[in-house]
Amino acid sequence: QVQLVESGGGSVQSGGSLKLSCAASGNVIRAKCMAWFRQVPGKEREGVAAIGRYGITKYADSVKGRFTISRDDAKNTMYLQMNNLGPGDTAMYSCAADRTNTFACSMSLGAQQYNDWGQGTQVTVSS
Protein backbone atom coordinates (compact mmCIF):
# COMPACT_ATOMS: atom_id res chain seq x y z
CA GLN A 1 0.00 0.00 0.00
CA VAL A 2 1.09 3.53 -0.79
CA GLN A 3 0.05 6.51 1.28
CA LEU A 4 -0.46 9.71 -0.70
CA VAL A 5 -0.91 13.20 0.69
CA GLU A 6 -1.70 16.20 -1.50
CA SER A 7 -0.94 19.81 -0.71
CA GLY A 8 -0.79 23.16 -2.44
CA GLY A 9 -4.44 23.77 -3.20
CA GLY A 10 -6.18 27.04 -2.51
CA SER A 11 -8.03 29.95 -4.07
CA VAL A 12 -6.68 31.90 -7.00
CA GLN A 13 -7.91 34.46 -9.51
CA SER A 14 -8.38 33.61 -13.16
CA GLY A 15 -5.07 33.60 -14.95
CA GLY A 16 -3.18 32.69 -11.81
CA SER A 17 -1.07 29.67 -11.01
CA LEU A 18 -0.83 26.99 -8.36
CA LYS A 19 1.56 24.12 -7.80
CA LEU A 20 0.23 20.95 -6.21
CA SER A 21 2.39 18.38 -4.46
CA CYS A 22 1.74 14.71 -3.76
CA ALA A 23 3.99 13.09 -1.18
CA ALA A 24 4.19 9.30 -1.27
CA SER A 25 5.17 7.05 1.60
CA GLY A 26 4.98 3.39 2.50
CA ASN A 27 5.60 0.90 -0.31
CA VAL A 28 6.90 3.50 -2.72
CA ILE A 29 8.03 0.89 -5.23
CA ARG A 30 4.33 0.69 -6.01
CA ALA A 31 4.22 4.40 -6.81
CA LYS A 32 6.07 4.49 -10.12
CA CYS A 33 2.97 4.95 -12.26
CA MET A 34 1.04 7.93 -10.99
CA ALA A 35 -1.54 10.46 -12.08
CA TRP A 36 -3.56 13.51 -11.09
CA PHE A 37 -7.36 13.56 -11.21
CA ARG A 38 -9.99 16.17 -10.51
CA GLN A 39 -13.67 16.07 -9.68
CA VAL A 40 -16.51 18.46 -8.94
CA PRO A 41 -19.80 17.51 -7.25
CA GLY A 42 -22.26 15.98 -9.68
CA LYS A 43 -19.66 15.32 -12.35
CA GLU A 44 -17.49 12.37 -13.19
CA ARG A 45 -13.87 12.22 -12.18
CA GLU A 46 -11.53 13.50 -14.86
CA GLY A 47 -8.00 12.32 -15.44
CA VAL A 48 -5.74 15.35 -15.70
CA ALA A 49 -2.22 14.05 -16.23
CA ALA A 50 -0.21 10.87 -15.83
CA ILE A 51 3.49 10.23 -15.39
CA GLY A 52 5.45 7.02 -15.75
CA ARG A 53 9.04 5.89 -15.93
CA TYR A 54 11.69 7.97 -17.67
CA GLY A 55 9.54 11.05 -17.30
CA ILE A 56 6.94 9.95 -19.83
CA THR A 57 3.82 12.08 -19.46
CA LYS A 58 0.28 12.29 -20.76
CA TYR A 59 -2.24 15.12 -20.47
CA ALA A 60 -5.95 15.60 -20.89
CA ASP A 61 -6.80 17.91 -23.76
CA SER A 62 -8.46 20.31 -21.36
CA VAL A 63 -5.17 21.09 -19.60
CA LYS A 64 -2.60 20.49 -22.31
CA GLY A 65 -0.22 23.40 -22.61
CA ARG A 66 -1.23 24.84 -19.23
CA PHE A 67 -0.41 22.09 -16.73
CA THR A 68 2.88 20.26 -16.21
CA ILE A 69 3.25 17.02 -14.29
CA SER A 70 6.62 16.07 -12.85
CA ARG A 71 8.19 13.96 -10.13
CA ASP A 72 11.19 13.93 -7.85
CA ASP A 73 11.94 10.30 -7.05
CA ALA A 74 14.55 11.22 -4.45
CA LYS A 75 11.78 12.96 -2.50
CA ASN A 76 9.02 10.49 -3.42
CA THR A 77 6.97 13.47 -4.52
CA MET A 78 4.89 14.22 -7.60
CA TYR A 79 3.92 17.72 -8.70
CA LEU A 80 1.34 19.42 -10.85
CA GLN A 81 2.19 22.93 -11.98
CA MET A 82 -1.01 24.66 -13.07
CA ASN A 83 -0.80 27.89 -15.08
CA ASN A 84 -3.41 30.13 -16.69
CA LEU A 85 -6.11 28.81 -14.41
CA GLY A 86 -9.76 29.48 -15.17
CA PRO A 87 -13.05 28.81 -13.38
CA GLY A 88 -13.37 25.53 -15.26
CA ASP A 89 -10.35 24.25 -13.35
CA THR A 90 -12.15 24.52 -10.01
CA ALA A 91 -12.26 21.02 -8.54
CA MET A 92 -10.97 18.68 -5.89
CA TYR A 93 -7.61 17.44 -7.14
CA SER A 94 -6.38 14.01 -6.09
CA CYS A 95 -3.22 12.07 -6.81
CA ALA A 96 -3.22 8.34 -7.41
CA ALA A 97 -0.81 5.44 -7.86
CA ASP A 98 -1.16 2.25 -9.90
CA ARG A 99 0.43 -0.40 -7.69
CA THR A 100 -0.17 -3.15 -10.25
CA ASN A 101 2.51 -1.73 -12.52
CA THR A 102 6.06 -0.97 -11.47
CA PHE A 103 7.83 -1.22 -14.80
CA ALA A 104 5.60 -0.58 -17.80
CA CYS A 105 3.02 2.07 -16.96
CA SER A 106 -0.30 2.13 -18.77
CA MET A 107 -0.29 5.94 -18.87
CA SER A 108 -4.03 5.70 -18.43
CA LEU A 109 -6.16 8.69 -17.46
CA GLY A 110 -8.95 6.39 -16.32
CA ALA A 111 -9.53 6.21 -12.57
CA GLN A 112 -10.09 2.44 -12.67
CA GLN A 113 -6.40 1.93 -13.41
CA TYR A 114 -5.32 3.29 -10.04
CA ASN A 115 -5.42 1.71 -6.61
CA ASP A 116 -4.08 4.13 -4.01
CA TRP A 117 -5.47 7.61 -3.63
CA GLY A 118 -4.80 10.72 -1.64
CA GLN A 119 -7.51 12.61 0.20
CA GLY A 120 -7.53 15.47 -2.29
CA THR A 121 -6.82 19.17 -2.19
CA GLN A 122 -9.33 21.82 -3.23
CA VAL A 123 -8.56 24.27 -6.02
CA THR A 124 -10.92 27.20 -6.49
CA VAL A 125 -10.52 29.66 -9.35
CA SER A 126 -12.60 32.85 -9.34
CA SER A 127 -13.42 34.91 -12.41
Side-chain angles (χ1 to χ4, degrees):
Q1 185 179 3
V2 179
Q3 290 77 49
L4 303 172
V5 179
E6 303 94 336
S7 62
S11 298
V12 66
Q13 297 290 119
S14 293
S17 299
L18 286 172
K19 187 175 183 178
L20 307 182
S21 298
C22 174
S25 61
N27 191 9
V28 295
I29 195 172
R30 299 296 184 182
K32 302 303 180 184
C33 308
M34 303 185 68
W36 285 97
F37 292 82
R38 65 186 184 184
Q39 188 172 30
V40 299
K43 295 186 179 295
E44 296 177 347
R45 181 171 289 165
E46 176 189 15
V48 175
I51 188 166
R53 300 184 69 194
Y54 310 113
I56 299 172
T57 59
K58 182 178 180 179
Y59 296 92
D61 289 340
S62 58
V63 307
K64 196 173 300 181
R66 299 187 297 121
F67 291 9
T68 302
I69 189 172
S70 62
R71 68 195 302 163
D72 186 338
D73 288 334
K75 298 181 178 180
N76 297 130
T77 302
M78 179 178 64
Y79 305 95
L80 185 68
Q81 177 67 52
M82 305 184 294
N83 298 326
N84 300 315
L85 289 164
D89 297 313
T90 295
M92 180 72 72
Y93 285 73
S94 300
C95 62
D98 174 12
R99 64 172 177 261
T100 66
N101 294 287
T102 60
F103 183 76
C105 297
S106 69
M107 303 304 299
S108 175
L109 292 179
Q112 69 277 4
Q113 186 66 44
Y114 299 88
N115 316 106
D116 297 318
W117 294 79
Q119 81 291 340
T121 185
Q122 179 68 38
V123 172
T124 302
V125 185
S126 59
S127 59

